[in-house]
Amino acid sequence: MRRKIPFYLCFTAILLLGLWLRGRDLAASAPSGDEGESSINGLTILQHGVPTGTYLGLPIFENCLTEPWPDSPEYEFRDSSYSKKNLAIYHGWLPLYAIALSQKLSGVAPDEPQTEPLSVRHSDAEVHRRVIAARAPAVVFGGFFMIFLFLAGRQMFGADAGMAAMLVGAVGRPFVYMAREARYHSATLTLTTAAVWAMWRVYRFGRWRDYLILAIVLVLLFYTHVLAFMIACAMVVPLVPAILRRDRTTPARGPAGSPDHRGEPGRPRPGLKLAALVALVAICIAPWILLTGFLQQRTHIPPAWKYLSFPADLIYYPIVRIPYLLLPLACFVWLVIVITFHERLPRALTRPLDRHHRQIAFLLAWIAVGILAFTFLVPAASYFYKRLTLPVMGPGVVWAAILFAAAARAWCRRWSMIVAPLAFLATVTAGNMSHLWFLEAPDVNEAYDMVVRLRALNIHPGTKLYCTPNHQLELQYMTGLPIQSVAPIRKSFLDSYPGPLVIIDSSPPYVLMSYDEIEQAVRGAGQRITREEIERYYPVLTTRAQRELLAPRVAWIWPSLDDRPLPCEPAAAEYQRKLTRENLADFENEGCNNPLLRGFHLRDWSDWWPIFFYRFVNPERRMGEQLNYADRVKSARTEVRPTAWAIYFCPPLPTPTSSTQPAR
């Protein structure tokens, strides 16, 4: 027992470190639009018991627009993420119920539609509590992710591989980042890794409890991420022949009191446990599939593979967009060398892997199947390279940990428990893949800034609030205001609505410059500027190009272009436009991150959302001067925030008796 104390201390220390990295200052950064979506879904569960497509009396919009809504005078489209029964079917329900439970325990309640005048309902402290409540379940799932990494590594190779996998899982940047989001990512990582562990237990032992554990994990995975569930089910197939062979040669044990139970061999029953596994999983998931309208709604969501380029999207683009794929690629090359030159290499180097070829092949197959399944089955709107690795990250870490543990055993078997984790960690850190919180980029807080601005508004009766997608979701969650996506709104409705409009443009056209870039721009123009001047005038310097772009499109803009505190503003603006052009060129050369944006020329970053959300409904006719709100903002007083988000205050349409003014 004493010999195990250091092991337990190390295990506990790694787990606590990982939880601290995930849970520290959870509300430091504002939630994203995707997080706002999951958070609102959690609130609808508290309201209705199930995640629905309506909140604050308004439909929720989060996806590409593909379904016309001919019966609505206001909305041109309905959202395909919700079935005809108004139930969420695009994302799994388990993470949403976890968020709802956390919200309930944290005292976060759903908002109800407000009577006018509208105002922000929550203080800064309450906003932060709402953000923490939504993100807390991801931290918990992140803790279980580390545990299952250890269990899978130990089950498939040994405790040294388990500790190596757990340590990298604790500090790896993508793992920490995903466990700080109010999304399904952390739960998917956890349950995918749990499926690897449970599946290998079925393969090795095949006891009834092993099948029961696997069934539970698969059901939970289905209710978290359907594609990851399908990949896990596919990985059961290569294990079936071995399972059936074992069942044919292993005597069955009868129930208590029977001769079989007393130790006498019974008749083998090949496949009985496997059939029970399939039946149990099917019983648990079939009602949801049939009752929610899942199968009917999936036909409205176009697949990604139709818009991909092969073989680039299987090889080149993922490696370019996800640099940390180079580590498993390097491990794979090393593995090939060891296997190819097995007879020529020292026995100490090859011995640790000799009896683990099946484990390595199984994990490699999982990774390959996962990437292929994502490529050919994921909806086009969800094809992002970050999500490509989501179903395979757990198996990938376990696989790499096995290779590091094998190398450690070859070098010094006695100390492999220490060498393997440290070597894996050193490699990950050297590749800039560790979450070193003190070196991470500053938190992005544009949404927090907008909450502060909305709190100061005097919103007049009859005002409608809109935002470019999908930041309306986190703003709605944090403020309780009925802020809608402007994307699905009919142009005719916006042009004819008699009351005031407030439209938030959360897609700045140009990349924001750092202090160093502003200094470089000014010096490149032969001018001088001090760091104090940059800090003082940063909001004006970094939005000058944007204000020049917007000024001809609106009635009035602030900060005014006439108020030029420094003569270097034009130089900074030109440099910002240059940076944006270079940024866009790199973005297109690296595959655009999502195939729906390919084939289109982005003039600036404000073009991305019309192309993405209108991709299937003629985006060219809905961009630039043809945006649905372009005519209405011609009379707007426009404010560009220091974060580069803009607010259009559109006055009511002129009538003989109208005296209503937009929010100011």
Side-chain angles (χ1 to χ4, degrees):
M1 181 64 183
R2 290 183 178 179
R3 296 180 60 185
K4 292 185 178 181
I5 291 178
F7 165 78
Y8 290 130
L9 290 176
C10 290
F11 181 93
T12 304
I14 293 172
L15 182 61
L16 292 177
L17 172 63
L19 289 173
W20 180 78
L21 289 174
R22 287 156 172 78
R24 56 178 291 275
D25 205 2
L26 267 184
S29 62
S32 65
D34 288 342
E35 289 184 279
E37 163 205 333
S38 299
S39 303
I40 289 175
N41 287 153
L43 293 180
T44 65
I45 290 174
L46 296 181
Q47 286 180 314
H48 310 291
V50 291
T52 66
T54 305
Y55 184 66
L56 291 178
L58 301 171
I60 300 171
F61 286 91
E62 61 190 60
N63 213 328
C64 290
L65 301 171
T66 60
E67 292 185 67
W69 197 347
D71 299 331
S72 173
E74 181 175 2
Y75 304 100
E76 187 177 358
F77 304 96
R78 67 179 301 275
D79 196 279
S80 56
S81 299
Y82 300 89
S83 68
K84 300 296 184 183
K85 299 179 180 180
N86 200 35
L87 296 174
I89 52 90
Y90 197 75
H91 296 304
W93 284 15
L94 176 62
L96 303 182
Y97 275 91
I99 290 173
L101 176 61
S102 177
Q103 290 168 331
K104 182 71 173 179
L105 295 176
S106 302
V108 174
D111 295 307
E112 298 295 337
Q114 293 189 60
T115 57
E116 295 181 332
L118 301 176
S119 61
V120 174
R121 300 185 180 190
H122 309 293
S123 66
D124 287 341
E126 291 170 336
V127 167
H128 287 174
R129 186 170 75 247
R130 294 171 80 85
V131 173
I132 292 172
R135 288 174 171 170
V139 176
V140 176
F141 280 119
F144 283 107
F145 171 63
M146 291 181 279
I147 293 172
F148 282 120
L149 280 175
F150 171 78
L151 293 175
R154 185 182 65 173
Q155 190 71 66
M156 302 186 82
F157 192 81
D160 46 3
M163 292 297 285
M166 184 180 185
L167 181 58
V168 168
V171 303
R173 180 180 291 113
F175 313 125
V176 174
Y177 177 76
M178 291 182 187
R180 291 174 59 85
E181 291 183 304
R183 296 288 284 160
Y184 58 87
H185 302 150
S186 184
T188 302
L189 287 175
T190 300
L191 291 170
T192 300
T193 309
V196 172
W197 167 72
M199 213 170 289
W200 204 252
R201 287 177 61 87
V202 166
Y203 171 75
R204 285 193 63 188
F205 307 116
R207 298 162 297 193
W208 276 108
R209 62 174 176 269
D210 299 318
Y211 281 89
L212 179 60
I213 292 172
L214 179 58
I216 293 172
V217 171
L218 289 177
V219 170
L220 293 177
L221 187 56
F222 172 83
Y223 285 107
T224 299
H225 195 281
V226 173
L227 180 60
F229 165 79
M230 296 170 64
I231 295 167
C233 290
M235 291 312 302
V236 176
V237 175
L239 300 181
V240 169
I243 292 172
L244 293 179
R245 283 196 301 270
R246 182 187 59 221
D247 287 352
R248 290 191 185 99
T249 57
T250 302
R253 299 296 176 186
S258 68
D260 291 345
H261 184 76
R262 291 193 298 269
E264 299 177 20
R267 291 183 300 169
R269 290 171 288 185
L272 176 63
K273 296 175 184 176
L274 197 61
L277 170 70
V278 174
L280 181 58
V281 172
I283 290 171
C284 292
I285 69 175
W288 184 90
I289 294 175
L290 297 175
L291 295 177
T292 60
F294 172 79
L295 296 177
Q296 295 84 353
Q297 194 63 25
R298 297 295 288 183
T299 60
H300 296 284
I301 305 174
W305 66 266
K306 294 183 178 180
Y307 307 94
L308 298 178
S309 302
F310 296 104
D313 276 302
L314 286 175
I315 303 172
Y316 173 71
Y317 287 140
I319 292 178
V320 169
R321 298 294 299 188
I322 316 174
Y324 54 77
L325 285 179
L326 292 174
L327 176 59
L329 183 61
C331 291
F332 179 73
V333 171
W334 179 76
L335 178 64
V336 170
I337 292 174
V338 171
I339 295 176
T340 304
F341 300 99
H342 184 274
E343 300 299 330
R344 302 180 184 179
L345 293 173
R347 182 63 179 157
L349 185 63
T350 60
R351 186 185 301 112
L353 292 175
D354 282 348
R355 291 190 295 178
H356 297 88
H357 290 168
R358 293 178 182 177
Q359 291 90 324
I360 293 172
F362 178 74
L363 292 170
L364 282 175
W366 194 304
I367 295 170
V369 170
I371 292 175
L372 289 174
F374 182 91
T375 302
F376 291 102
L377 296 178
V378 78
S382 293
Y383 188 95
F384 294 95
Y385 294 116
K386 168 189 169 183
R387 299 179 187 179
L388 182 151
T389 58
L390 192 59
V392 301
M393 276 185 173
V397 171
V398 174
W399 170 67
I402 289 175
L403 298 186
F404 275 92
R409 292 183 187 182
W411 180 69
C412 183
R413 186 179 184 88
R414 180 181 178 184
W415 297 101
S416 66
M417 183 74 75
I418 298 175
V419 173
L422 293 181
F424 198 1
L425 175 63
T427 304
V428 168
T429 303
N432 193 29
M433 293 177 284
S434 292
H435 179 78
L436 303 176
W437 71 95
F438 49 87
L439 296 178
E440 297 299 319
D443 293 314
V444 178
N445 289 315
E446 292 95 337
Y448 280 158
D449 173 79
M450 188 54 62
V451 172
V452 173
R453 184 66 183 94
L454 290 171
R455 185 176 286 118
L457 289 184
N458 178 21
I459 304 176
H460 293 277
T463 300
K464 281 194 170 285
L465 307 175
Y466 296 105
C467 181
T468 53
N470 267 339
H471 290 289
Q472 82 280 357
L473 294 166
E474 78 258 31
L475 293 177
Q476 193 179 75
Y477 176 67
M478 291 190 292
T479 66
L481 289 171
I483 304 173
Q484 305 183 70
S485 169
V486 74
I489 308 300
R490 295 183 185 274
K491 184 180 188 303
S492 58
F493 180 86
L494 293 174
D495 290 343
S496 61
Y497 181 71
L501 302 179
V502 174
I503 302 174
I504 301 168
D505 186 348
S506 59
S507 296
Y510 305 114
V511 295
L512 292 179
M513 293 187 294
S514 66
Y515 289 177
D516 291 339
E517 287 170 334
I518 292 176
E519 187 174 3
Q520 182 179 348
V522 173
R523 289 183 177 180
Q527 300 172 340
R528 297 183 62 182
I529 189 172
T530 65
R531 183 55 64 106
E532 291 74 17
E533 289 174 323
I534 294 176
E535 294 176 358
R536 180 179 178 184
Y537 296 111
Y538 178 79
V540 177
L541 289 168
T542 198
T543 62
R544 173 77 189 194
Q546 180 178 2
R547 288 180 286 124
E548 289 178 354
L549 180 69
L550 295 180
R553 305 176 184 179
V554 299
W556 179 87
I557 194 164
W558 185 86
S560 171
L561 291 172
D562 297 329
D563 298 333
R564 193 168 72 187
L566 294 173
C568 60
E569 278 191 36
E574 183 55 38
Y575 190 79
Q576 188 176 31
R577 284 188 282 263
K578 174 179 174 290
L579 284 179
T580 301
R581 288 193 297 268
E582 294 173 352
N583 191 257
L584 286 170
D586 292 340
F587 180 73
E588 293 176 2
N589 292 335
E590 294 173 1
C592 295
N593 197 31
N594 184 280
L596 297 186
L597 298 177
R598 296 177 189 171
F600 295 90
H601 175 66
L602 278 69
R603 298 164 298 179
D604 54 56
W605 280 112
S606 64
D607 281 342
W608 85 266
W609 77 259
I611 295 174
F612 182 85
F613 286 93
Y614 295 136
R615 177 61 178 80
F616 305 104
V617 289
N618 298 320
E620 298 92 340
R621 300 180 182 179
R622 302 172 183 272
M623 298 169 57
E625 296 181 356
Q626 301 183 72
L627 268 175
N628 55 354
Y629 61 82
D631 289 335
R632 191 63 190 264
V633 300
K634 290 179 179 179
S635 60
R637 298 172 64 85
T638 304
E639 175 186 341
V640 179
R641 300 293 299 165
T643 60
W645 283 22
I647 315 175
Y648 302 104
F649 299 102
C650 305
L653 296 180
T655 61
T657 59
S658 175
S659 61
T660 308
Q661 298 295 321
R664 292 286 298 278

